[in-house]
Amino acid sequence: MATAAQAAAAAFLSFLSSSPSHHTAPSSVSLGATPVLPVSLRAAAAGGPRLSSPLRGRRISAVTAQLPTAHPEVASGDKKIRWSSRAVRSFAMAELEARKMRYPTTGTEGLLMGILVEGTSGAAKLLRANGITLLNVREEAANVLGKSEMFYFSPMHPPLTEAAQRALDWAVNEKLKSGEDGEVTANHLLLGIWSDKESAGHKILASLGFDDEKARLLTKTAGEEAAMSPR
């Protein structure tokens, strides 16, 4: 025979199963309004996460269509350019690597690490094929720039250094000068890093065996990747 405690427990469970309104809505969703979902730059670059029903099949719009530029005119009008999803992911990973290194800014060394972390671009494959790995770049970055203080915390989005901004602008300008269709890719970004001989990224690449011959090889494939780059 069931005890009084067992009977009370059974009655309570029965009450819960018959009361669908018992559960409260998550605090991040306002009742009667469209949920605002946080979307990372990396997810946006990959096309955006799928939403559950009733929004299933609808992609969340990308967080950004353009990477930072010192020349706003290229982001509008006839000169509007597109960055490939691989390049956008590389940029997002560059910020993350800068934070891991506890640097206050995202420099060309961060862009280089971001390309390697993203890993699927022609630039990343060429670097790995020539023995230039993420671990090697991290170690060389510490040698070139030094190590940050142990208890320093980088900002959420470490601002670009002037050299990193020049690398982005170089990539855009080279794509525009080519007159070819397609997107600005991680290949263009790596070439932009290499173009500035005084930048930390160039010095790191040179110390790890990258040279003008490899840059010319990358230039030949940049147009092909831009034309084939996934939207």
Side-chain angles (χ1 to χ4, degrees):
M1 180 179 296
T3 65
Q6 290 175 326
F12 181 67
L13 291 175
S14 177
F15 168 74
L16 290 180
S17 62
S18 63
S19 303
S21 60
H22 171 75
H23 302 286
T24 59
S27 58
S28 60
V29 179
S30 299
L31 296 179
T34 302
V36 179
L37 303 177
V39 184
S40 68
L41 182 61
R42 185 177 183 184
R50 294 282 186 174
L51 298 181
S52 58
S53 180
L55 301 179
R56 183 173 298 162
R58 183 184 304 174
R59 289 188 180 277
I60 298 176
S61 60
V63 172
T64 180
Q66 303 293 334
L67 296 185
T69 176
H71 305 291
E73 65 272 13
V74 303
S76 61
D78 295 337
K79 293 184 178 181
K80 186 173 182 179
I81 53 91
R82 301 187 309 274
W83 287 88
S84 71
S85 60
R86 291 186 177 99
V88 175
R89 288 196 297 269
S90 296
F91 181 83
M93 294 299 99
E95 290 189 335
L96 180 59
E97 286 301 308
R99 293 173 60 197
K100 286 183 179 179
M101 297 288 287
R102 298 194 298 275
Y103 287 159
T105 55
T106 301
T108 51
E109 75 289 340
L111 295 177
L112 180 55
M113 287 185 274
I115 290 171
L116 285 165
V117 173
E118 192 281 329
T120 65
S121 66
K125 293 174 183 177
L126 178 67
L127 291 173
R128 289 198 303 271
N130 286 277
I132 301 175
T133 66
L134 176 62
L135 181 59
N136 292 341
V137 171
R138 281 177 177 167
E139 292 177 348
E140 199 60 31
N143 292 334
V144 172
L145 299 173
K147 295 183 179 180
S148 180
E149 295 182 6
M150 181 177 295
F151 298 106
Y152 175 80
F153 293 96
S154 302
M156 181 65 69
H157 298 287
L160 291 173
T161 62
E162 291 183 3
Q165 186 62 71
R166 286 195 299 270
L168 292 178
D169 292 334
W170 188 97
V172 171
N173 291 335
E174 286 300 303
K175 180 60 184 177
L176 292 175
K177 285 194 297 184
S178 72
E180 298 174 351
D181 293 332
E183 299 170 317
V184 184
T185 68
N187 287 22
H188 294 106
L189 184 55
L190 179 57
L191 290 170
I193 296 169
W194 182 249
S195 70
D196 190 345
K197 294 184 178 181
E198 298 303 316
S199 70
H202 181 102
K203 294 176 181 178
I204 292 169
L205 285 169
S207 69
L208 296 175
F210 196 86
D211 54 27
D212 288 335
E213 182 179 352
K214 294 179 178 63
R216 284 191 291 271
L217 177 61
L218 190 62
T219 301
K220 292 179 181 179
T221 62
E224 297 175 3
E225 181 167 341
M228 299 175 61
S229 181
R231 295 289 188 264

